[in-house]
Amino acid sequence: LVGGGATLWQSVATIASNIRKQVDGVEPCPICYSVISSTNQKLPEMSCVVCKNAKFHATCLYEWWGNSGQTSCPMCRSPWFSS
């Protein structure tokens, strides 16, 4: 978190927000394992219409696709169809 350009206090606030959201029952993104994205402070919002297993941060999903070279669901490996 700190290496991404955030100050120490911004990082502490993001961690505290993650803990609060997890206590509230919000599932973390299965790619970065955080509830709140460290890049844009958003909740996971993109889900696969095939497996419906989890919600992903858009930034995590786009990075996953860029690194893997394919646009498939990280959970079920089906071609990605957005809802």
Side-chain angles (χ1 to χ4, degrees):
L1 288 171
V2 175
T7 67
L8 177 61
W9 294 115
Q10 288 170 327
S11 298
V12 169
T14 300
I15 291 168
S17 292
N18 270 305
I19 293 169
R20 278 193 301 275
K21 292 293 182 184
Q22 284 184 332
V23 168
D24 290 343
V26 177
E27 293 290 322
C29 170
I31 297 173
C32 71
Y33 303 110
S34 291
V35 174
I36 304 211
S37 171
S38 62
T39 57
N40 60 12
Q41 285 69 47
K42 290 188 176 182
L43 296 173
E45 55 198 24
M46 296 182 73
S47 61
C48 175
V49 297
V50 175
C51 68
K52 299 176 185 161
N53 280 332
K55 290 188 177 182
F56 305 92
H57 296 120
T59 53
C60 293
L61 201 51
Y62 295 138
E63 185 175 341
W64 177 275
W65 291 338
N67 290 335
S68 70
Q70 47 190 309
T71 54
S72 59
C73 174
M75 301 295 283
C76 70
R77 304 290 187 208
S78 296
W80 185 263
F81 297 103
S82 185
S83 54

